[in-house]
Structure formats: structure tokens, C-alpha cells
Amino acid sequence: MKKNKSSVLFGAIASAAMSLGIASAQADEVEIKTQKLTDNIYVLFGRGGNIAAHVGQQGTYIIDDQFAKLAPQIKAKLKELNPDAAEFVINTHYHGDHTGGNEVFAQAGAHVIAHHNVHKRLQAEHGEDSDFLPRLSFSKDMTLHFNGEHARLQHFAHAHTDGDSVVFFDNANVVHMGDIYFNFGSLPFVDVDGGGSVDGILAAVQTVIDAIADDTQVIPGHGPMSNKAGLQSYHALISKAKAIMLEAIEEHKTLEAVVAADPLAQLNLEYMGWLPKERVTTLFYRSLTGEIN
């Protein structure tokens, strides 16, 4: 069977995850750790995207669900917080380390919610009838009124991907950024083939900065908890990298010449194994020169 672009991208993501030891890790090697943020909100750290859990009298819902192999442990950890099964799963975007548990949670009765583009990309990968797919999708925004909280889901076009959602818990003063925010002290993965862009990430981060307070707790897609100051530093770093790359593009023109010039070296950053500096340079180049799908 001929693979479509979505399938190729999922394969690339899976390969990247394996290089991190994520996809290949046995479930019993992963410890799911919990951090309490408020009386109702917890963060679960495991392998893959950070999970937020909102727990209350009406039940439980989660934001992202990591990998299918980890679903039993995630469900067990959630049961410690609330014996009832999760009612809803919100996907911040379509990548497998954030949606891999969709099928397991859906088959246990949860309703998956995500942006229309997440549905489109997961449908292309898994088929129309798959339980991986969101059963509720939205265009610009929606609000989940549950457990005494009004969780606002806001779509940001062409940020990390074309289907990113940020979730604002206004009552609790907490925000979940998904992979728009990589809190590793380095540059983000700009999924150009998934509709992402440098400018879109910058716009999304600035919008959130403008919307939150100094003491808002910020949940990144990956990495430890953060705050508004951390988000401002992240925005400044990406802005500096963009300026450096634009100067290099103006001087060297071609992708090959820009990569060879190694313009991002001056930032003195460390890079993850699956996202080396050369790949970051390439993705920034493609985004800043308009190669967005």
C-alpha cells in the first residue's frame, strides 16, 4: 500500500521517539509520576507529552495520553486520584506521544476532543472508524464546563502543527501549552510537514504570555513545570534564533549552505538526540522560507 504524507510523518515521529528510547521502552520500565498543582489539577509525567488531569465531583478528564503501552499505568495512576474512569480526553495536537492512548481511553468510555485538523490527520493514519479519532472536534475554540471549571480550548494555527490547542483553566490559573512549549532550555520542534511554523509558535506563545498572570502555572508539552517568566524566556530564545536564521538565509541562500554555516552554534544550546541542531536548522529554514504544508 502506498503511504500518504501523514503516514510518512508518523513514521518519522516514531523513529525519532525510538531514538529517545520512548517508543521502544517497555511499559514496566516507565514510572508515571504525579505533581499536584491545585486541589483539582495534577500533572502526570511519564514518557511522551505531559498529561494534565482535572479531578472533581463530576469525574476526571485528561489532556493528552502519551503512548498506548503506558495506558494501563496511566489509568492506574488516575484511579488513585479518582476511582471513576476518565470522561474526556483532550488532545493538544496529533503526534503519537500525545494521542497514543486515545484508543484505550475511548474503549473505556472516554470522549476524545481535539481540533478539526487533529481529526483529519489521525483519520488519515488510522482510518475513519478508529477509536484513535476524536469524536468531538472544533474549529477556533470551545469550552468544557466540568468539575466547576471552564476549560477553554483555543486553537493556534500553524504553530507546532496545524492543529495545536492550548487549554486555559481560568479558575485554577493554570494553562497547558502542549508542544507549542518545549521546556528544555532549547529550541522547539517545528513540525513543518504537519503545518507548523516558527512565526506561528512565536505568535501563540506571545498570545498566551499576554493572557496569563505572573503566577500562572504553565504546563509545557515536555519538560518540567514552568511559569510566565519561563515562557517569556522561551519566546526571546526563539525570536533570537529566528533573527539569526534570517540573517544566515540572506547571506547563504540555500539550505545546504545555511546548514554548513551552522548559524545556531552561537546560541550555545544543547540538543536532543532525535532533534539535533542540523534538523532544527533545516526546519527553521523551511519555515522561514515558506516551505509549509
Side-chain angles (χ1 to χ4, degrees), residues 132-214:
F132 276 98
L133 273 62
R135 295 307 175 192
L136 297 167
S137 66
F138 63 95
S139 177
K140 294 182 179 180
D141 59 71
M142 71 173 291
T143 302
L144 180 60
H145 307 281
F146 201 77
N147 286 337
E149 178 63 82
H150 310 287
R152 295 187 296 113
L153 285 62
Q154 183 173 347
H155 173 240
F156 289 93
H158 300 298
H160 170 60
T161 69
D162 61 6
D164 294 285
S165 296
V166 170
V167 183
F168 296 88
F169 298 103
D170 289 337
N171 292 347
N173 196 23
V174 174
V175 60
H176 193 311
M177 296 286 295
D179 279 5
I180 292 173
Y181 186 15
F182 273 56
N183 190 24
F184 288 128
S186 189
L187 294 170
F189 169 38
V190 183
D191 183 3
V192 178
D193 292 306
S197 72
V198 173
D199 286 338
I201 290 176
L202 285 170
V205 172
Q206 187 60 58
T207 298
V208 176
I209 289 171
D210 293 341
I212 64 176
D214 290 344

Side-chain angles (χ1 to χ4, degrees), residues 3 16 26 74-75 104 110 125 141 150 217 241 245 280 289:
K3 291 186 177 180
Q26 295 298 317
I74 294 168
K75 290 172 70 175
V104 176
E125 176 66 14
D141 59 71
H150 310 287
Q217 297 188 81
M245 285 295 300
V280 173
T289 56

Side-chain angles (χ1 to χ4, degrees), residues 4-185:
N4 58 28
K5 186 174 290 185
S6 177
S7 297
V8 172
L9 179 57
F10 266 81
I13 292 168
S15 177
M18 289 184 70
S19 72
L20 271 173
I22 292 176
S24 59
Q26 295 298 317
D28 58 6
E29 296 175 351
V30 179
E31 180 184 0
I32 306 297
K33 297 182 179 180
T34 303
Q35 180 177 344
K36 184 176 182 178
L37 303 185
T38 72
D39 288 342
N40 298 100
I41 300 176
Y42 298 79
V43 179
L44 279 63
F45 302 97
R47 293 281 176 88
N50 294 335
I51 298 172
H54 198 287
V55 179
Q57 291 185 345
Q58 292 179 301
T60 299
Y61 64 92
I62 62 175
I63 302 173
D64 292 335
D65 52 29
Q66 297 189 2
F67 297 101
K69 286 184 178 181
L70 300 180
Q73 287 145 279
I74 294 168
K75 290 172 70 175
K77 185 64 67 172
L78 291 172
K79 192 171 184 179
E80 293 176 11
L81 305 177
N82 187 321
D84 296 328
E87 297 280 348
F88 302 97
V89 173
I90 299 169
N91 292 153
T92 59
H93 61 290
Y94 77 99
H95 288 160
D97 61 323
H98 295 255
T99 63
N102 279 9
E103 182 178 44
V104 176
F105 281 97
Q107 290 175 355
H111 306 283
V112 180
I113 303 170
H115 185 263
H116 292 328
N117 288 339
V118 175
H119 183 279
K120 177 181 71 176
R121 291 186 180 277
L122 291 179
Q123 180 180 326
E125 176 66 14
H126 297 288
E128 173 64 35
D129 297 326
S130 173
D131 285 329
F132 276 98
L133 273 62
R135 295 307 175 192
L136 297 167
S137 66
F138 63 95
S139 177
K140 294 182 179 180
D141 59 71
M142 71 173 291
T143 302
L144 180 60
H145 307 281
F146 201 77
N147 286 337
E149 178 63 82
H150 310 287
R152 295 187 296 113
L153 285 62
Q154 183 173 347
H155 173 240
F156 289 93
H158 300 298
H160 170 60
T161 69
D162 61 6
D164 294 285
S165 296
V166 170
V167 183
F168 296 88
F169 298 103
D170 289 337
N171 292 347
N173 196 23
V174 174
V175 60
H176 193 311
M177 296 286 295
D179 279 5
I180 292 173
Y181 186 15
F182 273 56
N183 190 24
F184 288 128

